[in-house]
Structures are given as C-alpha cells and as structure tokens.
Amino acid sequence: MAGSKTYYLTTPIYYVNDAPHIGHAYTTLACDVLARFHRLDGKEVFFLTGTDEHGQKVEKAAVEAGVDPQAFTDRVSVNFRDLATAMAFSNDDFIRTTEDRHTRSAQAIWKALADNGEIYLGSYAGWYAVRDEAFYTDSELETRADGTKVAKTSGATVEWVEEPSYFFRLSEWQDRLLDFYDKNPDFIRPESRRNEVVSFVRSGLKDLSVSRTTFEWGIPVPGDEAHIMYVWLDALTNYITAVGYPETDSELFRRCWPADLHMVGKDILRFHAVYWPAFLMAAGLEPPKRVFAHGWWTNEGQKISKSLGNVIEPNALIERYGLDPVRYFLLREVPFGNDGDFSHRAMVGRLNGDLANDLGNLCQRVLSMISRNCGGSLPDPTTRQTEADVELITGADALLPRLREELDVQAFHTALAAIWAVIGEANRYIDSQAPWALRKTDPERMGAVLYALAETIRKIAILLQIFMPGSAAAILEQLSVPTAARTLSDLDVPLRPGVSMPKPQPVFPRYVEEEEEP
Ligand code: MSP
C-alpha cells in the first residue's frame, strides 16, 4: 500500500487535572470504533489520543497537590493510559504535550507563524477563564447574583488579565475561513454545529492572544522566553507532532496529514474549527478533513460535575455492567451528536433487551441446537436451502454497505440499529422456521435452517467486532471462525459445513438487580 493515505483520526488530548470520566471515555470510544472499522476494512490507520499537560489549570492542580507540575503530570497522565486499556481502545500512539517531540513541534509551528508575519507583539487586557483556558469578550459573559462574572457557554468563572502578549492575526483569516467552510461543506459535522461556527466567524474575528507571561508552565516562545505559548496553540499542535511535524517530508507525515477526523466535544469545537484551521493555513499546512462535535452526557438528568459528586467513572461502569455493554450503550442510546442522559435504568434496558435477549439468546439458541442436535458440527445446507434462508443471509449482506454509509457520517446509533434490525429478522426467522420441531421430522431441513442462522450470526459478529471486540470474538470463537478470517473481506467467505464447533457459552449474561442492602 506504499503511498496510500493512512486514515488518521484523533481524540482531544485530555486535561490531566481531572480523573478520567465518561465524557473522556465517550470521545475516545467513538474514535476507537472508527479505527477498528477501517483496520478491518484493510486500511492503514493511525489513531491518536493523549494528554494536555500545560497551562494554568494544570499548574494550579499541581500546586494544590503539592507537587511540581512535571511530577504531577507524570503521575496523572497514567490514568488516561489506564483508561485506554480498561476500555479496550486500540490507539496507535499516546501523546503527552510535555514530551520533547512536542516542544520541538510547537516551537516549530510558532516559528512558521512568526516567519509568515502572522504573529505580533502587543498586550492583552481582558477576561480569561482558567477552567476553559479561554479568553472571553464582554458579550460572552454574564454576571451572577453574587457578582461573579462567568462565561455564558460554560459557566466558568473569568478573571481579569493584563499582560504583554503575542497575538495571532486571526482577524485576517475571516474570509479565508468562510471560503474554506464553503468549499468543504463536510468539514464541520453535524450540520447544526457547522451553522453555529459559520455564523460565529461571519460575525467577525478578533486577533487572538497566543502567549502568556504571568505563569510558567508551558512551552517557551522561541526567541522570547519571558512568554509561554497559549495552551490551546500548544495543545492543538499535538495533532501534527504525533505524525512527525516539523518533518513534513517524512513518510509518516505525508501518509497521515491532513488528518481525516478530529473527534471533539461540542464545548471545544471553536478551537478546532476556527483557530486550528487558521493556524494551520497560516503556517502553510493543510487543515484537517473533518471535525465532528459530539454532545454531552448528563447523569440521571443532571449536569455532571465534581461539585455535585455525580461524575461517572468508566471503571465503575465496567465493573458493574461489563465492558462491551458499556461500549454498546454509549453509542446506541443517543444519536451521535446529540446530548444524552446516562441512567441505570436505560443501561439495564439495553443490556437485558438488546444484548442478553436479542443477540445473546439468538446465539445461544442456534449454537446449542447445533451442539445438541448436529453432533457439534455445522450442518450442510446445500440440499435443502429455501428462499427464506437466502433472504435472511442477503439481509445480513446488506449491512456492510449500510455501515460504510453510516460510519462515514459518524452515525454510530443508526449503524447499530441496522445491525439489530437483522438480529430481529433472525429471531423472527428462527421462530417461524421452528428448527426444534424439525429435529425428528426433517433433520436435513433443520440443518439448513441452523446453517442460515449460523452464517447470519457470523456476519453480524464480524461487524460487531468494531463495537464490542471481546464479545464479538467470543461469538466468532464459538462458530470456529479462525482469527485470520474475521475481516470485512471475509464477510463473503461462508462457513464451511462440517466444521466442528465448541460447546456454546452464553456471551451476554442478564443483569440482575442486586438485593437492596438491609
Ligand atoms: N484539553 C482540552 C482539549 C485539547 S484538544 C487539542 C480539553 N480537555 S478535557 O479533558 O476538558 O475534555 C476533553 C473532552 O471530553 C472534550 O471533547 C469534552 O467535550 C469531553 N467531555 C467532557 N465532559 C463531557 C461530558 N459530560 N459528556 C461528553 N463529553 C464530555 O478540553
């Protein structure tokens, strides 16, 4: 595949001051599913995640923890690596902004911007929210009853900042950005978010402060070490650092850049869809192909926040419901792009309904009938295949093109709904064909029915590997599908009659409510 484009996708890099929570897990999970899909499809994939370790917010957290910022970030960054393992994320790299490769890259983009006349020295006097690491204008703020000023969008408290600062000539990029959005209508997804960004840019852009002098935890501005780079310029640059910037002629950079997808939450879309393409174009680099902004989770109807004490920890969810049910729930429950609510009730509904009943029972019924009635080897359907069998299998064959379409627009929920429609068909088919009743009267026909079902389950399980890698592997194992025969191109290679199958084990146990403590 020499010279072909690698599918390059990224998650935001996470602030290390927070423990990993459901929001972090969600963004990376969505990327993981896409990465797995493209790999199974035979593409080269580069999937990046990591941690954002500079800035005032992280410095503050380190001071509060009583450790120096480097030791602090070394310690907490590990939590995000551990999250990747716990969630079975298949990232190819994990970047930390405190790494040397990143300092070099961030200073190089700064130099490119400065050399191109895009940066000038001035002074900043205005509002800054440490929690968002963002500058706000008066019109973006509101005053609370107690007199504190907060950002309207995030509710973060702002403080007045006055200091010398370098500025990026963002105001001069307005037309070129609008032109770029116009020529690349899919650059920002979903559509509603695109409209928000376009109208924000249309309303006029001000030059952006890109350096700070009143604290030290950051990357020094080349040639003027009294300044450190604004943490968002530093952080966004991670996406090019990881593919080799400033070596733009390197094999990795050429194969990966521009990135195919930056997946982000709606709160950080402006940084990715306005500032980032402007920085890149100003530095002479191509902007990414797409930025997708997903929605936010609430917990049982309430905003998730540390102060409310209702933060959902991924590890606690995994322990309670199992990893694959959690992965399934997060992408099935809410149309991707919308906000969603996590509730125990909805989680158990999906686990017991979609997973244990619909898919789990289907597998268990079919596999145990093969085990009990066919001597544990797959029956030969050839002599007794009917149109109904072919129809069932054809329905499963239609899934791949459908998934391609849905995943191309990051519509995970509809991709899963399409798979479940076929699972529903298979369950109706098993009921209408009643293979158990054929055991004595027409064993050959029973064999053909079980074959059609096993083949349908195989196709479903191959596709489900991207969402639920562990459970899908367990199903494929029980169907004796070799590991080397589980890619998307193997969808068309049918199961071989006569192959022996192990004794089936249930894949999705039902969730049983624990007894109330006395
Ligand atoms: N460090 C920046 C990103 C820099 S990227 C160059 C940052 N980090 S963060 O840790 O605060 O947030 C990371 C991601 O988590 C964001 O995409 C954000 O939308 C997401 N989430 C945080 N809370 C969330 C929910 N409650 N629900 C869904 N996602 C949320 O921003």
Side-chain angles (χ1 to χ4, degrees):
M1 295 217 299
S4 68
K5 172 81 174 75
T6 295
Y7 185 83
Y8 177 32
L9 79 170
T10 68
T11 73
I13 46 171
Y14 301 106
Y15 286 129
V16 282
N17 58 299
D18 249 353
H21 59 66
I22 193 178
H24 307 128
Y26 186 51
T27 321
T28 314
L29 170 62
C31 290
D32 184 59
V33 168
L34 295 172
R36 286 176 185 274
F37 180 77
H38 289 293
R39 281 193 208 106
L40 270 193
D41 209 7
K43 274 202 204 126
E44 280 291 328
V45 170
F46 191 74
F47 166 22
L48 176 70
T49 188
T51 42
D52 190 350
E53 307 191 358
H54 289 134
Q56 226 174 330
K57 171 152 123 164
V58 171
E59 191 185 63
K60 259 190 172 169
V63 169
E64 276 159 28
V67 256
D68 88 333
Q70 188 61 62
F72 176 73
T73 55
D74 287 346
R75 191 177 78 205
V76 285
S77 173
V78 175
N79 298 336
F80 287 87
R81 276 184 201 261
D82 292 348
L83 172 72
T85 312
M87 291 286 299
F89 293 150
S90 61
N91 52 296
D92 298 291
D93 195 357
F94 186 100
I95 191 167
R96 300 180 54 193
T97 52
T98 48
E99 288 169 309
D100 288 345
R101 60 170 171 167
H102 182 66
T103 305
R104 208 163 76 82
S105 161
Q107 292 188 327
I109 198 173
W110 181 283
K111 281 191 206 124
L113 294 171
D115 289 350
N116 291 347
E118 298 285 350
I119 284 179
Y120 62 91
L121 184 61
S123 65
Y124 179 78
W127 300 103
Y128 192 77
V130 175
R131 200 176 86 193
D132 300 343
E133 296 283 17
F135 301 96
Y136 287 106
T137 58
D138 278 316
S139 63
E140 291 170 313
L141 303 177
E142 62 193 5
T143 308
R144 293 241 165 103
D146 63 0
T148 47
K149 274 191 186 295
V150 297
K152 281 183 200 158
T153 45
S154 66
T157 313
V158 293
E159 58 193 48
W160 185 256
V161 171
E162 258 185 72
E163 57 185 338
S165 173
Y166 284 94
F167 284 83
F168 170 70
R169 296 185 194 282
L170 185 63
S171 60
E172 291 178 13
W173 283 89
Q174 179 175 356
D175 291 342
R176 281 173 286 184
L177 281 170
L178 290 170
D179 187 51
F180 174 71
Y181 303 144
D182 210 41
K183 295 206 171 94
N184 300 278
D186 292 336
F187 172 61
I188 302 163
R189 296 270 99 187
E191 186 73 27
S192 56
R193 300 272 168 220
R194 173 179 199 275
N195 299 339
E196 283 170 22
V197 171
V198 170
S199 58
F200 169 74
V201 174
R202 263 207 202 110
S203 71
L205 295 174
K206 298 212 306 188
D207 288 351
L208 180 71
S209 164
V210 285
S211 75
R212 303 286 313 269
T213 49
T214 43
F215 66 98
E216 279 167 14
W217 184 235
I219 296 178
V221 164
D224 190 350
E225 309 232 327
H227 291 251
I228 57 162
M229 286 171 65
Y230 172 40
V231 65
W232 270 100
L233 173 54
D234 160 348
L236 288 160
T237 304
N238 93 87
Y239 300 134
I240 51 177
T241 304
V243 293
Y245 189 78
E247 271 81 47
T248 49
D249 282 337
S250 65
E251 159 86 8
L252 185 63
F253 194 87
R254 279 192 285 117
R255 288 170 73 115
C256 292
W257 197 260
D260 292 85
L261 177 68
H262 293 320
M263 183 67 80
V264 300
K266 62 180 183 180
D267 53 318
I268 56 173
L269 178 59
R270 187 181 295 180
F271 300 96
H272 284 83
V274 181
Y275 303 165
W276 182 227
F279 292 152
L280 285 166
M281 290 193 273
L285 295 167
E286 267 185 84
K289 292 189 191 150
R290 179 170 300 173
V291 177
F292 190 104
H294 65 67
W296 268 49
W297 285 92
T298 50
N299 183 2
E300 307 278 350
Q302 268 192 321
K303 187 177 163 89
I304 298 177
S305 87
K306 262 197 267 183
S307 51
L308 287 173
N310 65 349
V311 171
I312 304 177
E313 286 167 17
N315 283 330
L317 289 186
I318 297 169
E319 217 166 277
R320 188 163 189 192
Y321 307 109
L323 172 60
D324 281 343
V326 170
R327 288 178 56 115
Y328 174 78
F329 175 85
L330 291 176
L331 294 179
R332 177 67 189 88
E333 184 66 7
V334 177
F336 199 68
N338 293 8
D339 290 338
D341 183 45
F342 185 91
S343 74
H344 172 68
R345 204 188 137 107
M347 175 76 226
V348 173
R350 291 281 175 199
L351 175 43
N352 287 346
D354 302 4
L355 297 179
N357 283 353
D358 297 348
L359 176 58
N361 278 349
L362 173 68
C363 296
Q364 191 59 19
R365 280 161 104 189
V366 172
L367 292 167
S368 59
M369 262 187 276
I370 294 174
S371 166
R372 278 201 315 267
N373 304 333
C374 311
S377 71
L378 187 69
D380 188 340
T382 22
T383 53
R384 301 299 304 282
Q385 217 164 28
T386 67
E387 234 169 73
D389 308 356
V390 177
E391 219 174 273
L392 179 71
I393 296 174
T394 318
D397 285 336
L399 282 176
L400 178 58
R402 179 74 195 278
L403 252 65
R404 277 191 208 292
E405 264 172 47
E406 303 294 357
L407 296 179
D408 197 38
V409 292
Q410 289 76 48
F412 303 100
H413 59 296
T414 38
L416 282 167
I419 298 177
W420 255 258
V422 175
I423 293 172
E425 282 304 324
N427 277 317
R428 279 187 287 281
Y429 169 89
I430 199 170
D431 289 339
S432 68
Q433 301 288 328
W436 47 87
L438 296 167
R439 190 166 62 94
K440 291 230 168 74
T441 55
D442 193 349
E444 289 201 343
R445 178 63 200 139
M446 174 194 73
V449 170
L450 292 176
Y451 180 90
L453 284 161
E455 182 55 6
T456 306
I457 294 172
R458 181 186 70 91
K459 290 176 195 286
I460 289 169
I462 285 185
L463 295 171
L464 280 180
Q465 292 178 98
I466 66 173
F467 292 99
M468 298 186 283
S471 316
I475 298 172
L476 291 166
E477 219 49 58
Q478 300 192 23
L479 286 168
S480 297
V481 177
T483 341
R486 298 178 184 177
T487 71
L488 300 185
S489 62
D490 295 307
L491 283 167
D492 292 335
V493 184
L495 284 168
R496 226 166 6 91
V499 71
S500 81
M501 294 190 172
K503 202 169 179 303
Q505 301 290 333
V507 180
F508 296 107
R510 281 183 71 77
Y511 182 89
V512 183
E513 222 46 81
E514 280 161 33
E515 294 284 326
E516 291 279 320
E517 294 285 323

